[in-house]
Amino acid sequence: MNALAFANPLILFGLLSLPVIWWLLRLTPPRPKAEIFPPLRILATVLKREETPAQSPWWLTLLRMLLAAAVILAIADPVMNPRASSLNSAGPLALVIDNGWSSSVDWERRVETANMLIDEAESADVPVSLTFTADTNNEPTAGTASAARDKLAAAEPKPLVPDRLRAIRTLQEALDGNPLGTVALISDGIAAPGDNEAMTALAAFAPNDVRLYQGEGRGAVALTGATNNSETMAVTATRLDTAAPQQLTVNALDQQGRSLASGTVDFAAGSGTATAEISAPFELRNDFARLSVEGLTTAGATHLLDDGFKRRRIALISGESGSDFQPLLQPLYYINRALSPYADIIQTNTADLAVAIPQILENNPSAIIMADVGRLPAETYDPLERWIARGGTLIRFAGPRLAAAPADDPLVPVRLRQGERALGGAMSWSEPQSLADFPNIGPFAGMPRATDITVTRQVLAEPTPDLAERTWASLADGTPLVTTRDVDAGRLVLFHTSAEATWSNLPLSGNFVEMLRRVVQMARAGGATSASAGSESAAATLPAYRLLTADGLLSTETSGVRPIMIRAGETPSATFDHPPGLYGTEDGFSAVNLLPSGAELAAFDPAPIGRAVTREGLAGGEAVSLRPALFAAAFAMLILDSLIVLFINGAFSRLPRSRRRSGAAAATIAAIAFCLLAFQPHPVSAQEMPEGSGAKAGDEQILEHLDTTHLAYVTTGEADVDRISEQGLEGLTEFLTYRTTLEPGAPVGLDITKDELSFYPIIYWPISANAPMPSQAAISRIDAYMRNGGTVLFDTRDQYSSLGGGGSTPNGERLQQILANIDIPPLEPVPENHVLARSFYLLTNFPGRYNGSALWVEARQDARNSANQVSSGGDGVSPIMITGNDLAGAWAVDQQGAPVLPTVPPDDMQREYAYRAGVNIMMYMLTGNYKADQVHVPALLERLGQ
């Protein structure tokens, strides 16, 4: 690659004319200066007059020569670090483009590079083949440059690891043995599985020219794992460029995208992996939904978390307290040691189970582990069974007490035989039994069998037809070792041996830790719920629920993605069929992340291709045209020459001397500055401007919106509806200004597809079945607005048409279509004691033009049970309100302040109450739970005895 080249080198022959230009400029003197002499100063002036020079000054001639040279060079178009522009015409141009997870940060430059090569192929009349390494389906048949551009324009980065071998094999099938002229690899610079085979297969084409285009790769950082330890969450990260030390911030976000905590990952020089520690309380860490690297928007820099990453609160109960002087003989010793790194342990401070169990249930643990507990107090069975039915997990270990317990114990998963089976007893083995292979069902599926574990005692299960289905682990002779039974939303699990090393050496092995961890991970992280939600399956086929985009965001677009089989205890990895994301439903899901745990980024090596590879950078970074700078310099010299000529000819002679000097200097400086600005060599591109800058408000508008509250409404595109919405909010604005201390600004009509929504605390949305259905992107923006604390007031305005019954109205059906794509919380009509009914005025209903529809808001009970739903993130304020009373129609006034529309039936008090409803809604929106607390002040004072 040359340091400097010219696009039109023949123009440089024009430099040969510079001596002629010099001779002409020196031959032609400046025009003589004309002066008017006063009659009384003729003689003095004549005596002092200087002769007009016969030639122009040398420095002026030099300036003009430089101007001419600058123009000639600019026309020749010099380029710094130009690209090679020759393609081999012996065969098609094959473009193999990495569009995986790391390509999203510089995708535009990759597209620009590909377009540059396609343009060259079109000029050379060479066919173009286009292949993407992260696309499921490729059609790399060589075709026209126009078809290649269309395919390139439709491509986009994918949240996947590129599969170059798959792409090259597809290219082989499409070309069917035909030779290639030039192969251009537009790579992300990161090695992927199968690269050696892919490059070997590419070498089989015997291409005449191989080029590798890739960026610097400094931003390639990925999160590869997260471990929820006892005090902190450890996050592992890997990077591509290991030359220099690097420090990055890892943020832990909840499901609404709010940052809850952060940690710092420090990469040492030469190190490609590092770990960040995120310190947060146990309850806060359980709210983590995903981890992301600050400043990086890629799928690799985002790590999704599911229920399996949350720490469980586990309660331990023992049938005997044991001796502190002999801890190894205590029933809970090994359980505590095994689970302490993975869960928060609750232990009772009393041996009275009638007291201990109710205390434990008040803490709503995820699981309760009972070690050798036989008979329970009669009053504890009912609360324990209710806790299990609501989603609790009860794990029991056998022992002498359990062996002597009644066989019909309802808190064991299978019916037990009376007494235990012991080596040398009536139901004895001839020798200790080892473990059998773990079955393919259950949480232990995939675990290797431990050959060193032996069991000398156990409790036996009565044979039943479904005993095999309930068995998670068994001994070599086929007798069950671990059994289970689902009880509504909860689960019973029984280890048929003891929790200490008297009946077996299982507690002394590493398998004991892994088995307990897997069972505990199946328990609900938040403990039992108030309603049955169904039991979790040990192995289930889960549909895609939310998918990760290449930019590291979750999307609801899941079409074309196959369900994934996830077994308990397994950590699935992303594939082309199962891209990274959340799989399941809103009631429960599993996370599939881009990279497996422990993965490390490495540089892509094309060496196996077996021939020289020309390496180049992506377009838009190296090649720089000097033409704009040269034209700017020439224009500046032209302005300077003009000012000098004017000065020589006396254009400034009438000015005072001091003003003459300062004016000439200022004019020269201003001219040069204007030229440099007018011919900016590197104009700001659309990519460098803020995204959506055309729709975003400027700084002054932002400050104005922050300083003044504005009521906003959604523009539907129907002139009548939008006019009533504007007039209605103007009427409410006037009423608020007159009756309250709030003085809102003028109402604002919003285009929800592009306008910034976060400036407005509430948005009024009049529903119209005749208006176009909002796009999914617009609905997603509304969803994000509500999740961030805003409120949308949906008004179907159809109460009059539905007074006679007859089911849903067209506006109501349209509202259902809109809300079908939004996660909304449970709704209820505004209760009598709701803060909305007393935030300013005391109201019993919320009328508009009509007075028959209830105002629906977020239900206060059980409204936040599902973490996936829109919650009252706005300080206790409902994110959604729905009515059909046409509030804006009642508020609407004309320029004279007169009502625009009558109420139905005509009633001035109804309009007054409609205004009061609007005031209460605004006060509720702006004060949040402050007003709710004020409502309860009398009750609080009474409780405090004041």
Side-chain angles (χ1 to χ4, degrees):
M1 185 179 296
N2 298 324
L4 180 65
F6 291 87
N8 304 302
L10 295 179
I11 302 297
L12 296 177
F13 284 106
L15 295 175
L16 298 177
S17 63
L18 290 180
V20 179
I21 297 176
W22 174 275
W23 179 75
L24 290 175
L25 292 176
R26 297 289 292 171
L27 182 64
T28 306
R31 189 183 65 179
K33 180 174 65 175
E35 295 187 8
I36 300 175
F37 300 97
L40 298 180
R41 299 182 58 189
I42 292 177
L43 295 178
T45 305
V46 170
L47 293 176
K48 294 180 180 180
R49 186 176 59 184
E50 297 180 358
E51 296 293 335
T52 301
Q55 297 179 342
S56 62
W58 68 267
W59 48 267
L60 181 59
T61 304
L62 178 62
L63 176 66
R64 292 172 177 175
M65 293 288 291
L66 292 176
L67 189 154
V71 172
I72 294 172
L73 291 174
I75 296 175
D77 193 9
V79 179
M80 295 292 295
N81 296 328
R83 296 183 176 275
S85 59
S86 59
L87 291 178
N88 192 288
S89 58
L93 165 66
L95 285 173
V96 182
I97 303 175
D98 284 342
N99 61 328
W101 63 272
S102 64
S103 64
S104 62
V105 295
D106 55 0
W107 179 248
E108 291 78 9
R109 291 182 62 193
R110 297 177 186 277
V111 172
E112 184 180 349
T113 304
N115 276 320
M116 176 192 68
L117 293 170
I118 293 173
D119 292 341
E120 294 176 11
E122 186 176 33
S123 300
D125 196 20
V126 173
V128 180
S129 171
L130 203 58
T131 308
F132 297 96
T133 60
D135 274 7
T136 306
N137 299 314
N138 272 304
E139 186 59 39
T141 304
T144 64
S146 177
R149 289 192 191 94
D150 293 340
K151 188 185 299 184
L152 181 63
E156 60 182 7
K158 300 296 179 62
L160 296 167
V161 175
D163 190 344
R164 300 185 179 98
L165 179 59
R166 178 176 181 173
I168 297 301
R169 286 176 176 172
T170 305
L171 182 62
Q172 285 179 326
E173 296 175 0
L175 295 180
D176 194 21
N178 293 324
L180 287 175
T182 300
V183 174
L185 301 173
I186 303 180
S187 170
D188 58 10
I190 303 175
D195 279 352
N196 290 341
E197 294 85 351
M199 294 300 100
T200 302
L202 188 60
F205 286 105
N208 295 288
D209 183 20
V210 179
R211 300 183 185 180
L212 176 63
Y213 297 84
Q214 62 184 34
E216 298 177 353
R218 295 179 180 176
V221 177
L223 301 180
T224 58
T227 304
N228 206 353
N229 298 316
S230 57
E231 300 295 333
T232 62
M233 175 173 281
V235 183
T236 56
T238 179
R239 62 172 179 167
L240 182 62
D241 184 9
T242 61
Q246 188 177 14
Q247 186 177 83
L248 298 170
T249 300
V250 179
N251 294 322
L253 311 175
D254 64 5
Q255 292 193 353
Q256 282 73 40
R258 297 171 294 195
S259 179
L260 301 180
S262 62
T264 301
V265 53
D266 288 313
F267 290 98
S271 175
T273 59
T275 301
E277 298 287 339
I278 301 179
S279 299
F282 156 74
E283 293 80 6
L284 190 61
R285 276 182 281 131
N286 274 2
D287 288 336
F288 292 174
R290 69 179 186 271
L291 307 170
S292 65
V293 180
E294 187 173 304
L296 297 180
T297 56
T298 65
T302 301
H303 191 82
L304 301 176
L305 304 175
D306 56 18
D307 200 53
F309 287 88
K310 298 179 181 179
R311 291 180 65 85
R312 273 66 173 167
R313 181 180 282 114
I314 309 299
L316 304 183
I317 300 176
S318 174
E320 60 174 334
S321 59
S323 172
D324 292 337
F325 298 100
Q326 296 177 316
L328 297 180
L329 299 179
Q330 293 184 14
L332 298 179
Y333 175 79
Y334 298 99
I335 298 175
N336 200 335
R337 293 290 299 272
L339 292 179
S340 292
Y342 309 106
D344 287 281
I345 305 299
I346 303 174
Q347 289 188 271
T348 61
N349 54 9
T350 177
D352 186 354
L353 295 184
V355 177
I357 291 177
Q359 289 178 349
I360 288 174
L361 294 180
E362 288 180 359
N363 291 321
N364 193 23
S366 298
I368 298 176
I369 299 180
M370 294 183 178
D372 191 22
V373 175
R375 297 176 184 268
L376 292 173
E379 65 271 19
T380 62
Y381 278 94
D382 284 343
L384 271 173
E385 290 176 347
R386 290 195 300 268
W387 172 79
I388 295 171
R390 298 198 319 268
T393 298
L394 178 62
I395 305 171
R396 302 187 70 173
F397 282 84
R401 290 176 176 80
L402 182 62
D408 58 350
D409 189 341
L411 296 181
V412 292
V414 294
R415 186 176 180 84
L416 299 178
R417 289 184 180 181
Q418 203 73 14
E420 78 269 10
R421 180 182 181 184
L423 185 66
M427 296 182 293
S428 66
W429 300 288
S430 59
E431 61 182 14
Q433 292 292 306
S434 61
L435 267 65
D437 292 331
F438 293 107
N440 293 327
I441 62 172
F444 310 142
M447 286 183 58
R449 181 175 67 90
T451 57
D452 58 340
I453 295 177
T454 57
V455 178
T456 57
R457 290 194 177 195
Q458 69 169 162
V459 292
L460 290 176
E462 291 284 359
T464 57
D466 60 347
L467 181 60
E469 299 175 0
R470 297 185 181 183
T471 301
W472 281 350
S474 59
L475 299 179
D477 65 351
T479 55
L481 179 65
V482 182
T483 56
T484 183
R485 175 166 62 92
D486 293 337
V487 180
D488 293 334
R491 179 180 289 111
L492 292 171
V493 179
L494 173 63
F495 284 76
H496 289 243
T497 188
S498 64
E500 24 75 32
T502 56
W503 284 24
S504 72
N505 63 353
L506 175 63
L508 304 178
S509 70
N511 284 57
F512 184 73
V513 177
E514 182 64 16
M515 292 170 72
L516 267 184
R517 187 188 69 83
R518 292 194 179 198
V519 173
V520 166
Q521 286 298 102
M522 297 182 67
R524 293 180 178 273
T529 58
S530 59
S532 176
S535 62
E536 299 179 16
S537 176
T541 301
L542 304 178
Y545 172 57
R546 295 285 189 271
L547 293 181
L548 200 64
T549 66
D551 295 328
L553 303 176
L554 285 174
S555 170
T556 58
E557 179 56 43
T558 59
S559 58
V561 178
R562 300 171 59 184
I564 187 173
M565 172 69 76
I566 299 180
R567 298 185 182 275
E570 291 184 353
T571 303
S573 57
T575 63
F576 275 38
D577 291 332
H578 307 118
L582 303 177
Y583 289 78
T585 65
E586 61 181 355
D587 296 325
F589 46 77
S590 294
V592 176
N593 284 295
L594 176 70
L595 299 177
S597 178
E600 295 187 21
L601 300 182
F604 170 63
D605 183 12
I609 202 170
R611 58 160 298 149
V613 177
T614 303
R615 294 177 178 267
E616 298 189 34
L618 297 178
E622 293 80 12
V624 178
S625 175
L626 300 180
R627 172 184 284 184
L630 290 171
F631 272 127
F635 191 77
M637 287 186 283
L638 177 63
I639 297 296
L640 182 60
D641 181 86
S642 301
L643 293 175
I644 292 174
V645 171
L646 291 175
F647 181 79
I648 292 176
N649 292 336
F652 305 106
S653 59
R654 295 184 181 181
L655 297 175
R657 183 176 297 273
S658 59
R659 294 177 58 188
R660 188 184 316 163
R661 293 175 179 175
S662 61
T668 303
I669 295 174
I672 296 174
F674 171 77
C675 296
L676 294 177
L677 292 176
F679 293 90
Q680 179 73 13
H682 300 289
V684 179
S685 65
Q687 299 172 2
E688 296 171 342
M689 294 294 289
E691 183 179 355
S693 59
K696 290 183 178 293
D699 292 343
E700 294 182 359
Q701 291 176 301
I702 292 176
L703 292 175
E704 195 273 335
H705 280 88
L706 294 177
D707 185 61
T708 304
T709 301
H710 293 264
L711 307 184
Y713 64 93
V714 174
T715 55
T716 62
E718 294 187 67
D720 293 341
V721 175
D722 294 343
R723 176 174 51 81
I724 293 299
S725 297
E726 181 180 9
Q727 292 176 332
L729 295 188
E730 286 178 353
L732 181 59
T733 297
E734 294 178 3
F735 192 87
L736 286 166
T737 304
Y738 179 70
R739 296 291 182 92
T740 71
T741 57
L742 176 64
E743 297 182 1
V748 177
L750 297 178
D751 181 352
I752 58 174
T753 62
K754 61 180 181 180
D755 287 340
E756 181 60 53
L757 307 180
S758 60
F759 296 134
Y760 313 100
I762 186 170
I763 297 175
Y764 176 77
W765 190 337
I767 303 299
S768 174
N770 298 325
M773 177 69 184
S775 65
Q776 182 58 46
I779 294 176
S780 298
R781 297 186 81 233
I782 287 292
D783 188 13
Y785 166 77
M786 292 194 294
R787 290 182 182 275
N788 290 330
T791 294
V792 180
L793 172 56
F794 294 96
D795 193 342
T796 58
R797 307 174 298 111
D798 56 1
Q799 176 58 32
Y800 179 74
S801 60
S802 61
L803 289 176
S808 179
T809 63
N811 288 358
E813 293 176 355
R814 173 54 58 86
L815 177 62
Q816 293 176 10
Q817 295 173 5
I818 295 173
L819 297 183
N821 297 316
I822 300 178
D823 281 332
I824 61 172
L827 303 177
E828 65 178 354
V830 175
E832 181 180 355
N833 60 346
H834 196 280
V835 66
L836 256 175
R838 57 189 70 185
S839 59
F840 196 85
Y841 294 104
L842 296 178
L843 299 176
T844 58
N845 61 350
F846 297 83
R849 285 191 66 209
Y850 317 118
N851 189 16
S853 173
L855 178 62
W856 293 78
V857 295
E858 179 183 10
R860 292 177 296 176
Q861 295 180 352
D862 299 331
R864 301 176 182 86
N865 285 349
S866 174
N868 295 320
Q869 294 171 336
V870 178
S871 63
S872 296
D875 200 20
V877 175
S878 173
I880 184 173
M881 299 182 190
I882 300 176
T883 185
N885 285 335
D886 191 8
L887 293 175
W891 301 334
V893 294
D894 57 21
Q895 295 181 350
Q896 288 73 35
V900 174
L901 299 175
T903 60
V904 180
D907 185 357
D908 291 339
M909 285 306 300
Q910 180 174 323
R911 191 182 305 277
E912 174 67 20
Y913 281 115
Y915 279 120
R916 294 184 180 184
V919 171
N920 275 27
I921 290 173
M922 285 303 300
M923 293 302 167
Y924 168 67
M925 284 303 308
L926 296 175
T927 58
N929 56 20
Y930 166 77
K931 280 291 185 179
D933 294 340
Q934 294 300 306
V935 168
H936 297 99
V937 163
L940 294 174
L941 293 178
E942 181 180 356
R943 184 170 298 178
L944 293 173
Q946 299 180 6

